[in-house]
């Protein structure tokens, strides 16, 4: 089950870890001993395990009852105890109170709860209007809970809840975004993350400012008269008499210790955990008692407090930019340890995806890729890859039919809880679920289950309903080396009909045969590959199996014969899609420029996430000298909601900057101010639907092509299934205030102003009817466009 690892936690001493894997909970030793399967089931999904501070219990969520409920069971194994009985929506958590008596948890309805494990009566603390409340933290006396709640801006606001008074008090000023509050063990301070640092960074391509490293860590003094933990320090010289007294005291302490050791040879008594004293929280003026932790600003999350220690995750900006916001995988970060007493900040672990800290802060459990490990929380000593837990040996007995039934039922509940319309757009979801569940006895393979689930969620007739993955057989795949060329069979060999240029400074767009110094051109024949005769009697790519990324010797000739052939050495790529894509866009750009006298630019926008954003900005900035622009978003696969595209496309010429002895510069400098035309087709969807809808609503220009896909109810989040599979639940729709309020795009798409299908006969002959119509419209619009005139004479004041 090592490939199905989920959430994890560390035991109070750090001797063991508790791991969720394949829907079961495993206790795994850090060093000695064997792993224990605490749940051992194939019909139930148990997740989110948490070890109690006293080390006795494991709390977790389980759908044993048919809904997610809280359970606890002994950490050594044994019968479970059900804590809640009111489940009706997806739940998260739990988090133990320091006295190991209560649990904090939250749910899909944005409610925050706590429950006493003995009384088993859940108490609702608060409810969010805009998001889940997922960062609750217990005070050391278990009498207070701190948490943050999002406001309409998306900013977090801190709140304190008194269990004794059953009262919530806001403790943020409301001006900044404050999140992730944590009490330190002595109960003097509440630490939290806040976006309070505003260091504008100007774009290299556009005079626009952005803010990256906005986060800092801050401390609130809970008592009104408590000094800041970071008050100014001053080293002072002690008087001679004071130094003598200090030495006497040190000698007395040493003698006493030595004497005790001589009396008897015994181990010191284990120190018992004393009940913490009730902390004092002075609520009046608490939002003003804020002090910064002296560390640089950054991109932070995952704040944890232990005695005189703060742990937090710092994500490098370049890692976040490369990942984007919808990559779906966990972001890697650097785990830091800040020593509050020494006021020192040091990196602890680099390249991790998750972590947990034991009770006294001496051990850290981390996840880095497939590795789970437990190491000492000592900077310079802890390293990723060390302290690796033996997860490869974890096993669980699975009855596939039991597991498939659980997965099906959980999928049904996920749609029930996360689908964007609580009324399920009028569908009787219980009846539909029962209808498809009746087919489970005929499921014979995990792929059958995915098919059945696909039919179930297909009843919603909504976009972004996807299912996939799961426990599928692994198939060996053999890569094929690609040369970035078109081949044609001729004379018994393959002739190189075209070599695509590519951009060789990037591996993704490298065209192997265009490397400098290679003796090869279009029209040459491929005679042999690594000494093997490359006849046209079989597919040309059969000669390049398993050669991607390897040095390969090609024998070439200007005629279909081995006589007079020469050899070159190349390194084929694994994929030539980007090379061919660059050639297609470049050819379209050439056609547009040729037809419009160079006055109209052309760009293709493949999606609305990181690759598309890069393509948009590269192409826009490369053509700022154009009067107009054709925006081709055919086959746009979506991503984010792309108002960032239309914001740039609709910019107007406001003024011109006139330097003394250089040409005038239009302002804003990044903008094309003339006619714009968009091309769409039926394969543009999601963000590729929103882009033309915004383009049309903002009256940027006409749209040419065919109606777009029609999928703008987007994915909210993806919940885990026990065998690693996934199902999506469309979580939000889009509506407009137009016409008194209307839902837009979903199940229809965006209609073009000029309907132009891609007739296959014309496309095969080398034409592009949609592009040609866009060129025609752009040329017509140019007739009414007035280019920037010459600079007017400078006004001279009359004397």
């Amino acid at each position: 089950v090592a490939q199905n690892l989920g959430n994890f936690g560390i035991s109070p001493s750090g001797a063991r870890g508790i791991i969720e894997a394949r829907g079961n909970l495993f206790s795994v030793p850090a060093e000695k001993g064997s792993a224990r399967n605490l749940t051992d089931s194939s019909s139930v999904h148990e997740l989110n395990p948490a070890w109690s501070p006293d080390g006795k219990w494991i709390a977790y969520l389980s759908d044993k009852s048919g809904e997610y409920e809280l359970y606890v069971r002994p950490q050594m194994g044994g019968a479970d105890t059900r804590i809640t009985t009111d489940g009706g929506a997806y739940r998260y958590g739990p988090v133990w109170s320091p006295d190991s008596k209560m649990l904090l948890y939250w749910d899909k309805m944005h409610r925050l709860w706590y429950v006493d494990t003995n009384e088993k009566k859940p108490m609702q603390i608060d409810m969010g209007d805009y998001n889940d409340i997922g960062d609750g933290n217990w005070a050391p006396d278990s009498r207070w809970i701190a948490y943050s709640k999002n406001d309409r801006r998306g900013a977090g606001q801190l709140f304190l809840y008194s269990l004794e008074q059953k009262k919530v008090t806001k403790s943020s000023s409301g001006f900044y975004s404050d999140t992730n509050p944590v009490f330190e063990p002595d109960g003097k301070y509440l630490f939290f993350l806040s976006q309070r640092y505003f260091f504008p960074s100007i774009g290299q391509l556009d005079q626009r400012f952005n803010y990256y490293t906005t986060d800092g860590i801050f401390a609130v003094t809970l008592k009104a008269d408590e000094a800041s933990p970071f008050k100014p320090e001053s080293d002072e010289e002690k008087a001679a008499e004071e130094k003598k007294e200090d030495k006497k005291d040190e000698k007395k302490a040493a003698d006493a210790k030595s004497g005790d050791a001589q009396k008897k040879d015994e181990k010191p008594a284990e120190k018992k955990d004393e009940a913490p004293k009730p902390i004092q929280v002075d609520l009046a003026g608490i939002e003003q008692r804020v002090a910064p932790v002296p560390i640089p600003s950054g991109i932070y999350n995952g704040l944890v407090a232990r005695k005189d220690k703060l742990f937090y995750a710092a994500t490098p900006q370049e890692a976040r930019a490369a990942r984007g916001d919808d990559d779906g995988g966990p972001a890697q970060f650097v785990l830091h340890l800040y020593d509050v007493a020494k006021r020192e900040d040091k990196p602890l672990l680099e390249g991790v995806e998750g972590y947990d800290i034991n009770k006294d802060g001496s051990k850290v459990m981390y996840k880095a890729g497939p590795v789970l490990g437990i190491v000492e929380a000592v900077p310079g000593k802890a390293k990723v890859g060390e302290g690796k837990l033996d997860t490869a040996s974890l096993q669980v007995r699975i009855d596939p039919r039991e597991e498939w039934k659980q997965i099906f039922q959980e999928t049904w509940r996920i749609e029930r809880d996360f689908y964007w319309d609580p009324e399920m757009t009028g569908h009787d979801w219980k009846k539909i679920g029962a209808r498809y569940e009746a087919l489970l006895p005929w499921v014979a393979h995990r792929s059958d289950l995915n098919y059945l689930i696909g039919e179930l969620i297909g009843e919603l007739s909504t976009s972004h309903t996807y299912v996939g993955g799961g426990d599928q057989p692994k198939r060996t795949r053999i890569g094929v080396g690609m040369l970035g060329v078109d081949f044609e069979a001729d004379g018994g060999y393959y002739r190189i009909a075209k070599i695509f240029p590519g951009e060789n400074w990037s591996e993704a767009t490298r065209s192997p045969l265009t490397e400098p110094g290679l003796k090869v051109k279009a029209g040459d024949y491929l005679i042999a590959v690594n000494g093997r005769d490359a006849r046209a009697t079989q597919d040309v790519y059969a000669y390049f199996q398993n050669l991607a990324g390897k040095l390969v010797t090609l024998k070439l000739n200007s005629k279909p014969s081995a006589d007079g052939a020469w050899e070159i050495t190349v390194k084929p790529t694994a994929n030539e899609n980007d090379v061919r894509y660059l050639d297609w866009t470049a050819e379209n750009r050439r056609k547009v420029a040729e037809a419009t006298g160079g006055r109209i630019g052309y760009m293709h926008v493949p999606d609305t996430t990181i690759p598309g954003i890069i393509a948009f900005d590269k192409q826009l900035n490369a053509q700022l000298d154009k009067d107009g622009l054709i925006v081709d978003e055919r086959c746009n696969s979506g991503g984010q909601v792309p108002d960032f595209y239309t914001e740039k496309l609709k910019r107007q010429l406001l003024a011109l900057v006139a330097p003394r002895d250089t040409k005038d510069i239009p302002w804003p400098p990044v903008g094309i101010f003339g006619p714009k035309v968009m091309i769409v087709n039926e394969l543009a969807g999601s963000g590729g639907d929103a882009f033309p809808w915004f383009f049309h609503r903002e009256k940027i220009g006409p749209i040419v092509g065919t109606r777009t896909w029609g999928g703008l109810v987007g994915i909210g989040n993806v919940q885990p299934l026990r065998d690693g599979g996934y199902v999506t639940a469309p979580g939000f729709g889009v509506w407009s205030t137009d016409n008194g309020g209307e839902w837009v795009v979903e199940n229809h798409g965006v209609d073009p102003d000029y309907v132009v299908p891609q007739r296959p006969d014309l496309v095969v002959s080398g034409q592009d009817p949609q592009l040609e119509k866009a060129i025609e419209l752009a040329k017509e619009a140019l007739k009414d466009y007035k280019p920037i005139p010459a600079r007017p004479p400078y006004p001279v004041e009359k004397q």
Side-chain angles (χ1 to χ4, degrees):
V1 299
Q3 70 271 26
N4 300 122
L5 302 179
N7 292 306
F8 59 90
I10 192 170
S11 69
S13 69
R16 279 184 169 258
I18 184 74
I19 301 172
E20 167 201 337
R22 195 59 181 253
N24 284 256
L25 304 182
F26 292 85
S27 173
V28 182
E31 296 181 15
K32 302 174 183 177
S34 301
R36 294 191 290 271
N37 186 342
L38 302 182
T39 49
D40 198 15
S41 170
S42 59
S43 61
V44 178
H45 192 182
E46 276 117 358
L47 68 166
N48 299 3
W51 215 304
S52 65
D54 62 11
K56 298 178 181 179
W57 303 95
I58 305 297
Y60 57 96
L61 288 168
S62 172
D63 69 349
K64 185 177 181 180
S65 69
E67 297 286 352
Y68 274 116
E69 303 284 5
L70 278 174
Y71 289 78
V72 298
R73 66 169 68 224
Q75 64 93 11
M76 288 295 294
D80 59 31
T81 301
R82 183 172 169 178
I83 304 301
T84 61
T85 57
D86 60 341
Y90 204 93
R91 286 175 160 170
Y92 306 91
V95 179
W96 281 100
S97 60
D99 62 8
S100 299
K101 295 179 180 179
M102 293 175 285
L103 293 167
L104 188 68
Y105 63 100
W106 56 104
D107 64 26
K108 170 61 179 63
M109 305 306 292
H110 315 317
R111 297 172 297 192
L112 180 65
W113 305 80
Y114 78 92
V115 61
D116 187 297
T117 56
N118 292 317
E119 296 179 359
K120 302 180 178 62
K121 295 179 180 179
M123 299 292 293
Q124 183 174 329
I125 297 170
D126 204 345
M127 183 174 182
D129 291 324
Y130 297 98
N131 214 332
D132 294 337
I133 305 175
D135 59 1
N137 185 260
W138 291 92
D141 64 357
S142 301
R143 290 176 172 88
W144 291 84
I145 294 169
Y147 61 93
S148 74
K149 187 167 62 169
N150 279 13
D151 59 22
R152 191 188 66 80
R153 302 172 297 155
Q157 302 298 315
L158 298 185
F159 292 84
L160 287 168
Y161 175 77
S162 168
L163 275 70
E164 294 178 348
Q165 300 176 19
K166 303 291 188 294
K167 181 181 177 182
V168 171
T169 302
K170 185 178 179 182
S171 56
S172 280
S173 68
F175 197 78
Y176 299 102
S177 179
D178 303 329
T179 59
N180 198 173
V182 292
F183 291 92
E184 56 85 34
D186 289 337
K188 294 180 179 180
Y189 313 111
L190 181 72
F191 292 98
F192 64 98
L193 300 179
S194 186
Q195 289 186 335
R196 302 194 180 205
Y197 295 117
F198 295 86
F199 304 124
S201 176
I202 189 169
Q204 291 284 74
L205 304 177
D206 196 356
Q207 193 189 28
R208 295 296 183 269
F209 297 89
N210 214 329
Y211 302 86
Y212 302 106
T213 56
T214 58
D215 303 335
I217 304 177
F218 296 82
V220 167
T221 56
L222 296 176
K223 291 171 60 178
D225 59 354
E226 185 71 54
S228 166
F230 309 108
K231 63 184 179 182
E233 296 178 308
S234 178
D235 293 329
E236 302 294 346
E237 181 67 21
K238 290 183 178 181
E241 290 299 322
E242 291 178 355
K243 291 181 179 180
K244 288 181 181 180
E245 291 298 325
D246 288 345
K247 288 185 178 180
K248 287 180 181 179
D249 291 341
E250 290 173 5
K251 187 176 186 305
K252 286 180 181 179
D255 291 344
K257 186 175 181 180
S258 176
D260 289 342
Q262 291 173 359
K263 287 179 183 178
K264 54 183 178 180
D265 184 14
E266 63 180 15
K267 294 181 180 179
E270 292 185 6
K271 183 179 179 181
K272 295 182 179 180
D273 289 338
E274 298 179 1
K277 297 178 181 178
I279 68 171
Q280 179 180 333
V281 180
D282 297 328
L283 295 172
I286 191 171
E287 70 276 3
Q288 301 299 323
R289 301 196 300 268
V290 176
V293 176
I295 61 171
S297 64
I299 303 172
Y300 300 147
N301 58 40
L303 181 63
V304 173
R306 293 294 185 263
K307 177 68 174 177
D308 290 332
K309 296 177 182 177
L310 293 175
F311 298 86
Y312 65 95
T315 304
Q317 168 59 23
E318 59 272 18
R320 185 166 180 174
R323 178 176 179 262
D325 291 325
D326 62 345
D327 180 74
Q332 291 190 337
F333 56 79
V334 179
L335 177 60
H336 281 248
L337 190 160
Y338 181 82
D339 190 312
V340 178
K342 297 179 181 179
R343 304 190 186 183
E344 291 181 352
D345 181 72
K346 293 182 179 179
L348 182 61
L349 291 169
E350 296 187 12
V352 295
E353 301 160 13
Y355 79 97
D356 192 23
I357 303 296
N358 73 328
K359 189 174 181 179
D360 65 3
S362 62
K363 299 284 184 68
V364 55
M365 184 173 181
Y366 69 90
K367 185 177 189 303
V371 176
L372 279 172
I374 295 177
V375 293
E376 291 186 48
V378 179
K381 190 173 184 180
K383 292 182 180 179
V384 166
E386 296 184 352
K388 183 179 179 180
L389 301 185
D390 180 17
T391 58
S393 64
L394 301 184
Q395 293 184 340
V396 60
R397 290 176 299 226
I398 296 296
D399 180 331
R401 295 195 180 279
E402 286 185 355
E403 186 174 63
W404 294 339
K405 182 177 181 180
Q406 187 282 325
I407 291 172
F408 179 90
Q409 292 174 343
E410 180 156 21
T411 295
W412 181 89
R413 293 198 309 266
I414 287 172
E415 300 296 335
R416 178 200 67 184
D417 294 344
F418 291 92
Y419 185 68
W420 73 285
D421 178 13
E423 301 300 323
M424 308 301 287
T425 56
H427 293 85
D428 186 337
W429 195 234
K430 287 186 178 180
K431 184 178 179 180
I432 291 173
R435 181 193 308 157
Y436 284 95
E437 187 170 356
L439 298 175
L440 275 174
W442 284 270
V443 169
H445 190 272
R446 185 59 171 83
S447 59
D448 290 347
L449 181 63
N450 279 345
Y451 175 81
L452 187 63
I453 292 172
E455 293 297 299
L456 169 72
I457 61 180
E459 292 279 352
L460 295 169
S461 299
T462 307
S463 62
H464 296 91
T465 44
Y466 305 130
V467 60
D471 194 8
Q472 305 276 6
K474 289 183 172 59
R475 298 183 295 273
T476 301
R477 297 182 183 274
I478 302 298
V480 175
M482 311 297 286
L483 295 178
V485 303
D486 281 340
F487 289 104
E488 290 181 352
D490 181 12
Y493 288 94
Y494 283 102
R495 182 173 61 85
I496 299 173
K498 179 177 179 177
I499 300 176
F500 292 89
E503 290 179 341
N504 287 357
W505 49 266
S506 170
E507 181 61 27
T509 54
R510 184 172 63 87
S511 184
L513 295 189
T514 64
E515 295 286 350
L518 294 181
K519 184 184 176 183
V520 58
K521 65 181 183 303
D524 289 340
Y525 289 83
L526 177 66
I527 305 301
V529 179
N530 280 345
R532 180 185 177 192
D533 202 26
R535 292 280 184 173
T537 53
Q538 63 176 336
D539 191 291
V540 66
Y541 295 106
Y543 302 108
F544 291 90
Q545 292 182 76
N546 206 29
L547 294 183
K550 299 178 181 178
L551 292 179
V552 176
T553 300
L554 304 181
K555 185 175 287 187
L556 304 169
N557 205 342
S558 58
K559 57 186 178 182
S561 168
D563 295 336
W566 65 89
E567 289 186 346
I568 63 171
T569 300
V570 299
K571 186 168 75 170
T573 61
N575 190 305
E576 62 183 17
N577 289 349
D578 288 345
V579 171
R580 292 178 176 271
Y581 172 72
L582 279 179
D583 184 74
W584 178 73
T585 57
E587 178 61 18
N588 286 347
R589 193 157 41 245
R590 184 197 64 77
K591 289 178 182 178
V592 172
E594 187 177 87
T596 63
R599 296 182 63 190
I600 298 292
Y602 167 89
M603 68 159 62
H604 181 262
V605 186
D607 56 54
T608 62
T609 187
I610 299 299
I613 292 169
I614 293 171
F616 180 94
D617 287 324
K618 283 173 62 175
Q619 294 173 94
L620 178 67
N621 282 273
Q623 301 178 89
L624 292 175
D625 57 341
K626 304 297 183 183
D627 289 329
L629 184 66
I630 292 175
V631 181
D632 187 349
E633 74 112 40
R634 288 176 291 185
C635 303
N636 186 304
S637 58
Q640 303 297 314
V641 181
D643 55 294
F644 39 78
Y645 289 160
T646 54
E647 183 275 329
K648 293 181 180 179
L649 292 175
K650 70 179 181 181
R651 287 179 182 172
Q652 299 178 4
L653 178 63
L654 302 177
L656 289 104
V657 174
R660 172 174 168 166
D661 45 18
T662 60
K663 291 185 177 181
D664 295 346
I665 302 169
W667 209 265
V670 179
I672 296 176
F673 309 114
K676 299 176 184 69
V677 182
M678 176 174 278
I679 312 175
V680 299
N681 69 357
E682 65 277 10
L683 298 179
S686 190
D689 280 304
F691 188 15
W693 194 84
F694 293 162
F695 190 90
H696 182 269
R697 191 177 190 277
E698 296 179 83
K699 297 179 173 59
I700 296 172
I703 300 176
V704 172
T706 53
R707 181 158 53 101
T708 61
W709 179 53
L712 207 53
V713 174
I715 299 171
N717 50 26
V718 180
Q719 307 307 320
L721 299 177
R722 58 171 285 145
D723 71 343
Y726 69 89
V727 64
T728 61
F732 59 89
V734 178
W735 68 282
S736 167
T737 57
D738 294 348
N739 303 315
E742 60 182 356
W743 297 97
V744 299
V745 177
E746 180 69 21
N747 275 329
H748 182 81
V750 178
D751 290 300
D753 299 293
Y754 297 88
V755 178
V756 180
Q758 289 287 76
R759 277 178 44 188
D761 58 325
L762 297 178
V763 173
V764 168
S765 67
Q767 292 183 247
D768 186 336
Q770 293 171 343
L771 179 61
E772 290 161 10
K773 182 62 178 180
I775 292 172
E776 175 192 322
L777 293 171
K779 290 174 66 176
E780 187 65 27
L782 278 176
K783 295 178 181 178
D784 298 324
Y785 175 68
K786 297 179 180 179
I788 298 172
R791 182 190 301 183
Y794 189 80
V796 178
E797 184 178 349
K798 295 181 180 180
Q799 299 295 329

